[in-house]
Amino acid sequence: MGTEVRELSTDVENLPTVAVQGWGMDQVWEQVLESVEEKIGRTATETWIKPIRPLTLRDETFHLEVPSTLFRDRLLSNLIVPLKESLASVLGYPVQVVVHIGSKPQGELFPTDEEAGKPDPSRAIRKGGLVTNYTFSTFVVGASNQFAHAAARAVADHPGKHYNPLFIYGGVGLGKTHLVNAIGHETLVKQGRGSIFYLSSESFTNQLIAHLRGDRMDDFKNKFRQADVLILDDVQFLSGRERTQEEFFHTFNSLYDAHKQIILTSDKFPNEISGLEERLRNRFEWGLIADIQPPDLETRVAILQKKALAKKIPLPSEVAIFIASHVSSNVRELEGSLTRLEAVAVLTHNPITIDFARQALQNLLKEKDKEISIETVQKAVGKYFGIRVADMVSKRRTNLVTFPRQVAMFLCRKLAGASYPMIGMRFGGKDHTTVLYACSTIEKRLKKDEELRAILDRIERTIYGHGS
Ligand code: ADP
Ligand code: MG
C-alpha cells in the first residue's frame, strides 16, 4: 500500500481539487479548518481561525467576520495566505476574501494571484462542482442519446430508487459529463438541498492520496458516504488503481445499502475496462447501463442551433447543416467549429454564410479530408459488413456486395469529400452516374431508415477512431 501511495502521489499538487456542490457553509468551513490546521498547526488554528465566522460565498468572494480590528490585523498580516490556500483547495477555485468586523464590512479586498486576467477554461468545471450550464434544458435529445437521457431523467426524478447505479457510457465528447451534471442540477432543484458530489475518477484518486498522506482516511470515508448522490465521471481511469478501487468499492457498498444514488460514466462498457476488479465491474452492471452514440445529422444541427441561440450567434440553418455535415461524430468538435466561426465573423465583420463558413473553417475541414481517405472508408465499410475491399471494388453485383458498396460510396462522398468521378475510379473504374445513383439511394433511405442511420454512425465512429 505504501508504495502505491508514493507512486500515485507524484503530481497530486497540480491536480484540481474536488468539486463539491450541495455543501452547506458549515461543511465547507469544517474542511477549511482542517486544511488550515495542517498548514499552521492546531494552536494557531484554535486561536486565529476558529473564532472566524464564515458568512457567505458570493461571486468568488468569501465573506468572513472577525471579532475585532486587532484580530483582523493579525489575520491579515500572518494568516491570510494559508487561509486563502485552504479556501481555494476546498472550493476548487481561488477566491477573494472580504473581512467584516462584527457585521460591518471593512472593505478589505485581497485579489488573488490568478486574477491577472488569464481565463482558466477548467475553472467552470471546478466552480461549485457541477458545471453551471450542463443542464437538461441545454441538452439536445436525439436518437443517439434518447435512452441515456430518459434514464438520466428517471434517476433525477427518483434518485436511489430505480436505476442504481446508472452507468452511462459512450465515446469522447458525446455528452456524458453534460448529462450526469444535468442529473445533479435537477436533483438539487427538486430536493432543495442534499449532498451531491460530482467528481472525476482522477479527483477521487487524488483526494484519496491526499487523505492517506495526511493520515485522515476516516475523513475521506465519511465525506463520500454522506452523499445523497455521488457522480463519478470517467471510471475507466480507475483502471489499475487498486487502492482507489478498493476504497470506491466500500463507498459504493455503503451508499448502495443506504439507497443513495450512484452515477458513473465511462468511455467503455464495464467489461471492456481493463484492470478493473471483478467485484466492481460486477456492481457497475447491477443497475442500468445506457449508452450514448454519436449524434446523427439532425441532432448535430439541432445542437449547433441551440448553442448558437444560447450564445446569440446568428446562424442560418443552411450554415448549421453545412457545419454539421462536415463535422461529425463528436459534439465537442462541433462546438469548437461554431466558436471559431463566430470569432472569425466578429473579427472580420462578416455575416455568417456558407461561403464564409467554408472559408473560416477551411483548415478544420481540410484536416478532416486529409485524415479520411477513400481507402480508409473502404476498409471500414468492408470490415463492418465482413467483405473484402477487393470484392467491393469488383464488378460483382450480388446483394452481398452491392449494398456495402453503395454505403462506402456514400461515405466517401460525405467523409472524404471525394468527387463522383474520383469515387467511381477508385471503385474499380465505375461510371460517375453509378456513384451518383448509389449516393442518392443511400441518402433517400437514410431519411426513413433508422437502422441504416445507426449502421452509418457506427462505421463513422470506427473511421474517426471513436469506436470498435
Ligand atoms: P463527454 O463527457 O462524453 O466526453 P461532454 O459531456 O463533455 O462529453 O460534452 C462535450 C461538449 O458537447 C459539451 O460542451 C456538451 O455541452 C456538448 N454536448 C454533448 N452532447 C450534447 C447534447 N446532446 N446537447 C447539447 N450539448 C451537448
Ligand atoms: Mg466527460
Side-chain angles (χ1 to χ4, degrees):
M1 177 191 117
T3 347
E4 198 202 353
V5 176
R6 230 173 299 134
E7 175 191 296
L8 288 171
S9 65
T10 43
D11 55 357
V12 66
E13 258 82 18
N14 299 325
L15 285 155
T17 346
V18 66
V20 193
Q21 172 140 341
W23 274 13
M25 177 57 91
D26 290 350
Q27 283 158 301
V28 170
W29 190 244
E30 218 171 90
Q31 300 277 320
V32 172
L33 287 180
E34 233 174 62
S35 159
V36 174
E37 190 174 318
E38 257 178 30
K39 296 188 193 359
I40 63 173
R42 163 154 290 185
T43 321
T45 307
E46 293 284 335
T47 320
W48 296 107
I49 309 292
K50 277 269 171 73
I52 295 175
R53 199 160 76 88
L55 296 173
T56 175
L57 171 65
R58 204 178 309 133
D59 299 332
E60 298 175 12
T61 305
F62 201 92
H63 295 259
L64 44 86
E65 190 185 280
V66 298
S68 65
T69 329
L70 185 76
F71 194 104
R72 179 199 63 193
D73 295 341
R74 176 65 204 258
L75 179 73
L76 297 182
S77 59
N78 288 320
L79 298 168
I80 194 72
V81 172
L83 178 61
K84 277 171 72 177
E85 282 173 359
S86 295
L87 279 166
S89 90
V90 170
L91 295 167
Y93 53 96
V95 286
Q96 297 186 346
V97 172
V98 175
V99 182
H100 303 249
I101 296 173
S103 47
K104 276 184 256 108
Q106 294 294 300
E108 274 89 345
L109 213 61
F110 304 94
T112 54
D113 304 334
E114 275 89 340
E115 274 184 7
K118 268 183 269 154
D120 172 3
S122 66
R123 189 148 158 180
I125 199 162
R126 287 190 270 142
K127 186 173 178 179
L130 297 166
V131 185
T132 324
N133 48 10
Y134 283 5
T135 59
F136 280 122
S137 66
T138 56
F139 191 82
V140 176
V141 186
S144 55
N145 56 31
Q146 207 164 31
F147 181 55
H149 174 262
R153 276 273 185 203
V155 165
D157 286 342
H158 304 283
K161 291 270 162 26
H162 297 309
Y163 308 117
N164 211 10
L166 172 64
F167 188 101
I168 294 184
Y169 85 97
V172 175
L174 296 185
K176 301 182 295 297
T177 298
H178 188 138
L179 203 52
V180 297
N181 271 274
I183 303 177
H185 286 299
E186 189 77 7
T187 5
L188 274 179
V189 169
K190 288 227 161 78
Q191 311 209 324
R193 50 188 302 244
S195 336
I196 311 251
F197 285 75
Y198 164 82
L199 73 168
S200 69
S201 300
E202 286 288 344
S203 174
F204 187 82
T205 305
N206 295 323
Q207 289 195 55
L208 171 67
I209 294 165
H211 283 82
L212 279 170
R213 265 188 181 172
D215 204 12
R216 291 184 297 127
M217 274 310 287
D218 284 346
D219 294 351
F220 182 83
K221 289 189 195 328
N222 293 337
K223 177 168 171 184
F224 291 109
R225 289 173 202 183
Q226 280 168 23
D228 293 315
V229 178
L230 174 64
I231 307 171
L232 196 63
D233 210 352
D234 289 319
V235 293
Q236 74 273 9
F237 290 128
L238 297 179
S239 162
R241 297 178 162 171
E242 286 163 27
R243 181 65 209 252
T244 313
Q245 288 186 28
E246 188 189 332
E247 240 6 273
F248 186 59
F249 174 76
H250 296 301
T251 307
F252 186 107
N253 290 344
S254 140
L255 291 176
Y256 187 87
D257 290 343
H259 304 286
K260 305 297 188 185
Q261 182 68 45
I262 302 155
I263 301 165
L264 309 162
T265 79
S266 169
D267 66 354
K268 298 188 184 67
F269 200 77
N271 66 17
E272 290 171 345
I273 305 174
S274 63
L276 187 67
E277 281 181 41
E278 193 48 45
R279 55 183 188 169
L280 265 187
R281 186 195 311 283
N282 184 278
R283 273 162 181 73
F284 288 179
E285 291 173 1
W286 274 359
L288 181 70
I289 301 185
D291 67 324
I292 302 189
Q293 295 291 327
D296 52 36
L297 182 67
E298 288 83 353
T299 312
R300 295 202 294 273
V301 172
I303 290 174
L304 276 173
Q305 288 176 330
K306 189 153 201 158
K307 304 260 173 200
L309 199 67
K311 294 181 178 170
K312 301 199 171 62
I313 303 172
L315 182 73
S317 52
E318 70 267 19
V319 180
I321 295 170
F322 173 81
I323 304 173
S325 41
H326 283 84
V327 182
S328 53
S329 88
N330 181 326
V331 183
R332 197 171 289 141
E333 281 178 24
L334 206 59
E335 280 193 289
S337 343
L338 181 64
T339 309
R340 178 171 160 77
L341 196 63
E342 192 216 3
V344 180
V346 169
L347 293 174
T348 61
H349 306 287
N350 268 305
I352 298 177
T353 62
I354 291 202
D355 279 341
F356 172 77
R358 188 177 288 122
Q359 191 82 50
L361 303 177
Q362 207 173 31
N363 292 334
L364 222 121
L365 303 182
K366 225 192 274 160
E367 249 169 54
K368 282 264 170 254
D369 291 350
K370 236 193 292 158
E371 249 172 51
I372 292 154
S373 64
I374 292 184
E375 203 189 348
T376 315
V377 175
Q378 288 173 332
K379 279 191 187 148
V381 175
K383 187 165 167 229
Y384 181 84
F385 289 104
I387 65 167
R388 297 185 308 154
V389 173
D391 289 333
M392 198 187 297
V393 306
S394 72
K395 298 238 170 340
R396 291 173 55 188
R397 282 169 179 235
T398 59
N399 260 343
L400 206 64
V401 294
T402 310
F403 178 60
R405 182 185 292 143
Q406 289 182 338
V407 167
M409 287 176 163
F410 172 82
L411 286 178
C412 283
R413 178 91 189 128
K414 180 181 168 195
L415 305 180
S419 67
Y420 295 126
M422 171 58 86
I423 298 173
M425 199 175 83
R426 299 286 297 275
F427 277 75
K430 295 189 175 57
D431 191 70
H432 78 275
T433 52
T434 310
V435 183
L436 198 73
Y437 175 74
C439 292
S440 72
T441 305
I442 298 294
E443 214 151 340
K444 264 187 226 138
R445 272 188 61 180
L446 269 180
K447 293 220 171 79
K448 26 191 178 143
D449 188 342
E450 246 182 65
E451 204 188 351
L452 179 61
R453 258 182 265 157
I455 292 176
L456 289 194
D457 275 339
R458 205 153 302 150
I459 299 174
E460 283 181 38
R461 229 149 80 92
T462 62
I463 291 176
Y464 284 109
H466 294 311
S468 48

